[in-house]
Amino acid sequence: MKFPNIYSLFRTQVDEFADEPVFYYRRHGIWNSLTWRDFERLVHEFACALLASGLSKGASVAILAGNIPEWTIVDLATIAAGGVGVGIYPTSSPEQVSYIINHSEAEIAFVDSEMQLEKIKKTFHPKLKKIVTLFEANVEGTVSFREFLSYGREHYKKFLPEVERRGFAAQANDTAIMVYTSGTTGKPKGAMLSHKYVLNSVESLRLCVPIFHDDITLSYLPACHVAERISGIYNRLYNATPTYFIDDLSLLYDYMLEIKPTVFASLPRFFEKIYAKIIGQHGKSVDEEVVRNAFGGRVRLLTSGGAPLPIEIAEFFASAGLPILQAYGLTENVCVAFNTFQAMKFGTVGKPMPMCQVKIAPDGEILVKSDMMFSGYYKDPKKTSEMFDKEGWLKTGDIGELDEDGFLKITGRKKELIVLSNGKKVSPTLIENMVKENHLISQCFVYGDNKSYCVALITLNETEVLSFARQHSIKCTSMADIANNEMILQAVKQTIENVNKRVSSPEQIKKFVILERDFSIERDEITPTLKIRREVVSKNFREEIERLYVS
């Protein structure tokens, strides 16, 4: 590691880039900037306020907010004060918020809206001392961000030496942040990530897909997700790369054309939209300039993760001279594999990253060993031990293969394998991702346990199908109307027929139904990261599934 801990990295960058912008944020329709010195001042004021409020060494600070500079400020301040930053998805339900705050034993919470404050106030949290709000709440137990910083300034002389002592003294194996897994099969687990995890991860990224001080980036993905936390927040910190915070996701594309980023990371769905826009305007034979202009004109690096990128789209961007580099990782070890400009293969997630070893177990599970592995699940030694084999290899839970050139391909999830009545095993995730390559489809749930064939529940992407309906003059008053429309039905049917041609007979979807609503976080059918909770969906749509098996 180049730095002993995150605070040392932070202070080094502040000293070197003092008066240069680090964050851009939008207020009243105008872009404003914060310099590195501003960043340092705010981090130290917040850290001093934390210590003045009695934050215990190693205690958690919960962050429940969207993409704003204050998210990073609070996270860094917590680390500087010797605490542990715990991010919570803004889309989480009050019950999920309550569970994470209580399980992490958070002593301070930060929220950016009245809606998020309401989620916390619905339940009693015995360890929670104070809630810091980005707005003036005037509610018992809360203090505004502005007042909290003022409180930190009042106690600056007294507590800054202790902040610096704690910050510089942090050990490589100390927990710096905690990331709660989405928990598709139970309660979320708090993965403890050390300074060593964070710093080795960003150094691994630097060696394979580097970003630089003169790059321009956008911050719009959830900061509580491990990918944005590491390859976003801390990767930018490590490389002193400035970022623009996107305050309205619906304006992401407009902002992108305005800001003209040089580096852009996203999910496959966004690249699908760009692809559709380009071919709609220019056809499939385009040059690099046309593709580059679709991202503002200056982009040099595109990366994708979270789900497979359709090969058709990967080939299109690569043929235009702007390949989308796909990656693979998990909360417990975020830097596993990455395609690079030097080594890229469609349909794979790349070769193992620097400092990471990958091997395939006899049952097909992907195993990982590195200096970037998590320290364990908070208060859960049993679940922690279950994550490793006898030789210390991390069990990812994913099924995959390494090809003859050393590229890793993901083929499914170990725990989600369907066993048909004839004994054949089917990976539903692989098939579901193929179906979701159609931008009209939001979710696909493949079922077949102990049955003779597979069936699927399909949900529609409301934004995309409403646009499709307008383009094709489909009259509808609700999503139920659209779900039962013949043109939509045929579009989905064609997609499934195309997928069936790409898989073996046991994996083919023999019957499907389009549901009148999408799976929801509120009904516990999907996680905040939109992963399907299979048991819940099976239970909630039992009648629909059973009807698909009626002759």
Side-chain angles (χ1 to χ4, degrees), residues 209-262:
V209 279
I211 62 172
F212 304 101
H213 172 55
D214 57 0
D215 274 316
I216 298 294
T217 62
L218 306 182
S219 176
Y220 68 97
L221 296 168
C224 48
H225 191 281
V226 70
E228 179 62 17
R229 197 83 166 273
I230 304 302
S231 61
I233 290 175
Y234 290 102
N235 196 30
R236 292 190 293 263
L237 178 67
Y238 186 83
N239 296 291
T241 308
T243 193
Y244 285 75
F245 287 88
I246 305 304
D247 58 350
D248 185 346
L249 266 181
S250 68
L251 296 175
L252 173 61
Y253 188 71
D254 294 330
Y255 285 159
M256 186 169 65
L257 296 180
E258 175 189 350
I259 295 162
K260 300 176 172 51
T262 59

Side-chain angles (χ1 to χ4, degrees), residues 127-146:
K127 292 287 182 77
L128 196 61
K129 299 175 180 178
K130 197 170 292 183
I131 302 172
V132 182
T133 62
L134 193 57
F135 53 95
E136 302 289 337
N138 297 318
V139 175
E140 186 180 355
T142 68
V143 58
S144 74
F145 184 73
R146 182 180 55 79

Side-chain angles (χ1 to χ4, degrees), residues 193-204:
L193 311 185
S194 66
H195 290 262
K196 182 173 76 172
Y197 174 114
V198 174
L199 293 171
N200 278 339
S201 295
V202 294
E203 287 181 12
S204 182

Side-chain angles (χ1 to χ4, degrees), residues 84-114:
V84 176
V86 178
I88 305 177
Y89 281 95
T91 53
S92 297
S93 67
E95 183 181 351
Q96 290 166 332
V97 169
S98 176
Y99 174 80
I100 292 174
I101 287 177
N102 283 332
H103 184 267
S104 68
E105 300 173 295
E107 294 184 358
I108 304 287
F110 169 77
V111 299
D112 66 346
S113 69
E114 291 183 6

Side-chain angles (χ1 to χ4, degrees), residues 267-504:
L267 303 172
R269 276 292 163 90
F270 188 83
F271 292 117
E272 290 169 23
K273 289 181 180 180
I274 299 290
Y275 167 74
K277 188 182 287 284
I278 293 172
I279 64 171
Q281 294 174 350
H282 305 279
K284 290 192 175 183
S285 297
V286 297
D287 59 24
E288 184 175 336
E289 185 180 4
V290 169
V291 175
R292 204 177 294 279
N293 286 341
F295 294 91
R298 294 192 299 186
V299 71
R300 65 166 189 84
L301 174 63
L302 298 174
T303 64
S304 177
L309 184 72
I311 289 180
E312 178 188 7
I313 292 172
E315 289 178 340
F316 171 80
F317 281 96
S319 66
L322 200 60
I324 300 170
L325 305 180
Q326 295 184 74
Y328 166 71
L330 59 159
T331 302
E332 294 78 2
N333 194 125
V334 71
C335 291
V336 175
F338 221 126
N339 279 288
T340 67
F341 290 119
Q342 295 76 30
M344 181 178 65
K345 186 178 285 190
F346 299 139
T348 77
V349 291
K351 291 184 176 182
M353 292 177 68
M355 293 186 268
C356 187
Q357 302 175 65
V358 176
K359 72 175 184 179
I360 308 298
D363 64 356
E365 183 174 10
I366 299 167
L367 304 179
V368 170
K369 187 181 281 189
S370 79
D371 286 328
M372 303 172 283
M373 296 191 293
F374 81 132
S375 306
Y377 295 123
Y378 186 56
K379 299 191 295 190
D380 203 337
K382 183 174 182 294
K383 285 281 196 318
T384 299
S385 64
E386 290 172 358
M387 285 296 293
F388 296 91
D389 70 7
K390 292 178 181 179
E391 296 175 352
W393 287 82
L394 176 68
K395 297 188 281 188
T396 66
D398 289 312
I399 303 294
E401 54 194 48
L402 284 166
D403 70 12
E404 65 277 6
D405 297 316
F407 286 87
L408 180 64
K409 183 177 182 180
I410 313 298
T411 58
R413 285 289 295 168
K414 187 175 179 180
K415 290 182 180 178
E416 295 177 356
L417 287 177
I418 291 170
V419 182
L420 299 174
S421 57
N422 61 5
K424 295 282 186 181
K425 293 182 179 178
V426 173
S427 171
T429 313
L430 182 69
I431 306 158
E432 289 162 356
N433 284 329
M434 288 181 183
V435 173
K436 289 193 293 182
E437 289 176 8
N438 184 332
H439 65 98
L440 296 178
I441 295 171
S442 173
Q443 292 284 359
C444 172
F445 172 76
V446 174
Y447 183 89
D449 276 317
N450 301 313
K451 301 292 186 180
S452 58
Y453 57 87
C454 290
V455 300
L457 304 180
I458 304 294
T459 72
L460 300 174
N461 182 318
E462 185 170 353
T463 303
E464 296 295 333
V465 294
L466 289 176
S467 174
F468 181 89
R470 284 193 297 271
Q471 291 171 15
H472 294 84
S473 301
I474 298 173
K475 293 181 180 179
C476 58
T477 57
S478 66
M479 284 299 291
D481 288 344
I482 293 179
N484 291 291
N485 178 268
E486 184 62 26
M487 191 177 289
I488 296 290
L489 176 64
Q490 290 304 315
V492 173
K493 183 180 179 182
Q494 185 61 57
T495 295
I496 289 175
E497 287 176 356
N498 292 340
V499 169
N500 284 345
K501 292 174 184 176
R502 298 163 61 187
V503 299
S504 66

Side-chain angles (χ1 to χ4, degrees), residues 13 17 45 57 169 249 266 295 345 416 473 476 508 551:
Q13 302 300 59
F17 302 103
E45 287 175 359
K57 182 81 166 65
L249 266 181
S266 195
F295 294 91
K345 186 178 285 190
E416 295 177 356
S473 301
C476 58
Q508 291 175 355
S551 299

